[in-house]
Amino acid sequence: MTGRVEGKVAFVTGAARGQGRSHALRLAQEGADIIAVDICESIPSIERYYAGSTQADLDETVRQIEALDRRVVARKADVRDFDELKAALDEGVAELGHVDVVAANAGVFAFGDKTHEVSESDWQDVIDINQTGVWHTAKAVIPHLIEQGTGGSMILTSSTAGLKGTPNVAAYTASKHAVVGIMRTLALELAPYRIRVNTVHPTGVATDMILNEAAFKLFLPDVEHPTKEQAAAVFESTNALPIPWVEPVDISNAVLFLASDEARYVTGTELKVDAGYTIK
Amino acid sequence: MPGRVEGKVAFVTGAARGQGRSHALRLAQEGADIIAVDLTGQIDTVPYAMSTPADLDETVRQVEALDRRIVATQADVRDFDALKGALDAGVAQLGKLDIVSANAGIFSFGTLDELTEEQWSDMLAVNLTGVWHTVKAAIPHLKANGGGSMILTSSTAGLLAIPNIGHYVAAKHGVVGVMKTAALELAPFNIRVNSVHPTSVNTDMIQNSATYELFAPDLTPEQRTKEALAPRFQTLNVLPIPWVEPIDISNAVLWLASDESRYVTGLEVRVDAGQLLK
């Protein structure tokens, strides 16, 4: 039976673990081949929150995709480095023949400082990865999509923080709002080529990005070593549905819908997968 | 291979033709049984021919051809008791309720100073109150079911304003209000509520002489062909198409109805060819 993105090639950034790995797998399950990139490194300003991904993580993503009998081209690449990112994508397109779907997923989460106390470098790292990295991803892939002349679907990962504000999360919130601006601009520019561009907006997702003590302390500042269970109760209070966080596959199912021809006329939209976070 | 809504029961209003029939079929294709209602009659203030009993019969025939069960009843969404009676009978027959597609809707036009009392009240009664009635009738069944998914059909006109259809704009905006309130109220019961926002859809609602006149008042009636009107409709959109097909809305309804969107609630899903970008 034909998969929902059968025969397509999907470019996924931040594919070593978490949501990125999940998107790569979900798309592969539905018949796509994958071009996967990840920085595979810790970023110094993010280390105080959670450890970065590794080459072993990316290798595991590759192993799981190949176990589905799909092809994958994986490269270590930093979305802040346009030339490096473009080279990785071009190699993937050369090997797999084309690119049709883009999941601009690579991102970091930083938090805790009042906006007027954030350091220059902390601010810049988040903007460079979450915002400029998304632009770089689009910049690298668009020439391919236009030349191919067969349309395409770009899904940019924003956040509930791309729609609402949260104290002490300035750079992340700014960068995720910016992703919406990039999406809207691209959707208008690329519509004549039938290239669709949309954003996804997750609430908290059960990955290393939030399942760490630093993130728990954001919600339980008075507890010295908050546990996952304690944090879960607070996370749950922010959502409308009675859950603390969604699973990566929930975002992947939204990415899959947007990537497929089922959404052939969906463009310029913000797809929230947020358990009602933004309507509370 | 199980369908994406395998074993579920879906209530679809306005199911005789157009988007409603398409939703019923798409859900049935993916394994759902259907409870279908439609007015199958004319409302005076609606300037195009509305559905007939034969239309609803055809929806039944097509769903049954997919080897799914369907309970179809003539019912007016403005009449809560009749609507509830039809839904309750369907649930009694099919065993439960999982999905609701509140799709029944009408279209008419006039500027706000020209609209008659009747045009306004018919529009609000069907497109807004009818949606509330559908939600109200469904909630006890969804609660008994332990959860479910409701998809309310709004429009791009539920998010922006367009001249000459102020009552339609108001009603479709109102649907968003109902959707978000219901999403908040029903979240503790694992019931998700979302809305779909189509741009122009290729059905009898737009392919008729009255709507053509609205979009091309400068052309003569003879000049107002579908081909001549397509570019007019296309100016609303960003993607180079005049209208989407019912299946495009049905694919969004299917995604929202399925467990793939199990944590999606309070969302306005636009299937609008970029109309809201303009």
Side-chain angles (χ1 to χ4, degrees):
Chain A
M1 181 164 170
T2 315
R4 291 163 61 192
V5 284
E6 193 75 36
K8 293 186 192 284
V9 175
F11 178 42
V12 183
T13 67
R17 58 179 187 177
Q19 292 181 53
R21 176 189 289 177
S22 180
H23 300 340
L25 289 176
R26 191 72 189 92
L27 294 166
Q29 281 169 355
E30 293 289 338
D33 291 328
I34 308 295
I35 304 167
V37 300
D38 202 287
I39 190 174
C40 298
E41 269 176 32
S42 265
I43 294 144
S45 64
I46 306 298
E47 273 175 334
R48 64 172 155 135
Y49 306 108
Y50 56 93
S53 60
T54 65
Q55 184 65 52
D57 289 327
L58 187 60
D59 292 343
E60 175 60 16
T61 296
V62 167
R63 194 193 67 73
Q64 291 192 26
I65 294 169
E66 291 180 337
L68 295 168
D69 254 326
R70 303 304 320 179
R71 297 179 299 167
V72 51
V73 175
R75 294 287 182 271
K76 181 182 188 304
D78 186 339
V79 294
R80 294 172 292 184
D81 183 336
F82 178 70
D83 292 336
E84 185 175 271
L85 184 67
K86 181 179 181 323
L89 171 65
D90 290 350
E91 283 176 43
V93 174
E95 203 178 310
L96 299 178
H98 50 103
V99 61
D100 310 283
V101 172
V102 180
N105 161 82
V108 294
F109 184 43
F111 47 85
D113 293 329
K114 294 184 173 56
T115 303
H116 62 288
E117 292 173 342
V118 175
S119 73
E120 254 338 277
S121 60
D122 283 358
W123 173 274
Q124 202 58 53
D125 282 349
V126 174
I127 299 301
D128 287 346
I129 295 165
N130 291 6
Q131 178 175 330
T132 307
V134 169
W135 168 55
H136 281 165
T137 303
K139 184 174 175 173
V141 77
I142 287 166
H144 290 286
L145 297 178
I146 291 177
E147 190 188 329
Q148 287 164 186
T150 49
S153 177
M154 299 179 55
I155 303 106
L156 315 183
T157 298
S158 176
S159 166
T160 48
L163 299 169
K164 294 189 83 162
T166 312
N168 306 323
V169 190
Y172 184 80
T173 302
S175 69
K176 289 302 189 178
H177 274 69
V179 169
V180 176
I182 295 170
M183 177 275 286
R184 290 178 178 159
T185 309
L186 286 174
L188 285 164
E189 287 180 15
L190 301 175
Y193 304 98
R194 295 197 176 234
I195 299 165
R196 303 181 291 103
V197 192
N198 297 281
T199 46
V200 288
H201 298 257
T203 180
V205 185
T207 70
D208 295 330
M209 183 178 268
I210 65 164
L211 297 181
N212 59 74
E213 190 175 292
F216 298 161
K217 283 186 79 69
L218 180 69
F219 285 84
L220 292 158
D222 300 326
V223 179
E224 196 179 346
H225 293 293
T227 64
K228 184 176 174 180
E229 292 64 40
Q230 288 174 312
V234 185
F235 273 92
E236 185 168 321
S237 70
T238 66
N239 295 323
L241 289 172
I243 56 160
W245 35 66
V246 300
E247 296 296 324
V249 75
D250 296 300
I251 314 309
S252 302
N253 277 325
V255 169
L256 171 63
F257 170 68
L258 290 170
S260 77
D261 294 335
E262 297 155 28
R264 61 182 175 165
Y265 297 135
V266 178
T267 194
T269 72
E270 306 88 5
L271 212 76
K272 298 178 298 184
V273 184
D274 76 349
Y277 180 101
T278 51
I279 61 169
K280 272 194 122 170
Chain B
M1 181 171 170
R4 292 164 61 191
V5 285
E6 192 72 39
K8 292 186 191 282
V9 177
F11 178 42
V12 183
T13 68
R17 61 178 193 176
Q19 292 180 54
R21 178 191 287 177
S22 180
H23 301 341
L25 289 176
R26 190 74 187 92
L27 294 167
Q29 281 170 356
E30 294 289 338
D33 290 328
I34 308 297
I35 304 168
V37 298
D38 202 287
L39 176 66
T40 63
Q42 190 65 37
I43 294 173
D44 287 345
T45 58
V46 175
Y48 54 87
M50 292 175 63
S51 67
T52 66
D55 289 325
L56 190 57
D57 290 343
E58 176 60 16
T59 296
V60 169
R61 194 194 66 72
Q62 291 192 26
V63 169
E64 289 180 340
L66 294 169
D67 254 326
R68 303 307 318 179
R69 297 179 297 167
I70 176 168
V71 179
T73 314
Q74 191 271 346
D76 187 337
V77 296
R78 296 173 293 181
D79 179 348
F80 178 71
D81 292 335
L83 185 66
K84 180 180 183 321
L87 175 58
D88 290 352
V91 172
Q93 254 191 76
L94 299 180
K96 59 170 176 153
L97 183 66
D98 302 277
I99 298 159
V100 176
S101 168
N103 161 84
I106 59 171
F107 190 59
S108 65
F109 19 87
T111 55
L112 288 168
D113 57 317
E114 292 169 347
L115 286 169
T116 65
E117 275 307 308
E118 207 186 344
Q119 281 178 303
W120 177 275
S121 62
D122 283 350
M123 181 63 68
L124 272 294
V126 175
N127 288 18
L128 180 54
T129 306
V131 170
W132 168 57
H133 282 165
T134 304
V135 167
K136 181 175 174 173
I139 285 170
H141 296 293
L142 294 177
K143 283 184 175 178
N145 190 48
S149 175
M150 296 206 274
I151 304 102
L152 314 185
T153 299
S154 175
S155 166
T156 48
L159 298 170
L160 48 66
I162 305 171
N164 298 309
I165 52 169
H167 54 339
Y168 183 83
V169 169
K172 289 301 189 180
H173 274 69
V175 169
V176 176
V178 170
M179 179 274 286
K180 288 184 174 172
T181 309
L184 287 171
E185 289 178 357
L186 301 172
F189 302 96
N190 203 34
I191 298 167
R192 306 183 289 107
V193 191
N194 298 283
S195 50
V196 288
H197 299 258
T199 179
S200 317
V201 185
N202 185 22
T203 71
D204 294 322
M205 183 177 272
I206 66 166
Q207 307 294 6
N208 62 75
S209 57
T211 307
Y212 287 178
E213 183 181 350
L214 180 70
F215 274 78
D218 52 305
L219 300 180
T220 67
E222 296 72 35
Q223 291 171 323
R224 293 185 203 125
T225 61
K226 190 171 177 176
E227 293 67 38
L229 264 294
R232 307 297 181 103
F233 282 96
Q234 191 160 314
T235 61
L236 293 179
N237 299 327
V238 169
L239 288 173
I241 56 161
W243 38 67
V244 301
E245 295 297 326
I247 188 68
D248 297 299
I249 315 308
S250 301
N251 277 325
V253 168
L254 170 63
W255 177 66
L256 288 170
S258 77
D259 294 335
E260 296 155 31
S261 62
R262 60 183 176 166
Y263 297 135
V264 177
T265 196
L267 175 64
E268 308 95 333
V269 177
R270 304 199 297 271
V271 185
D272 73 350
Q275 186 181 354
L276 264 291
L277 289 166
K278 284 194 141 180

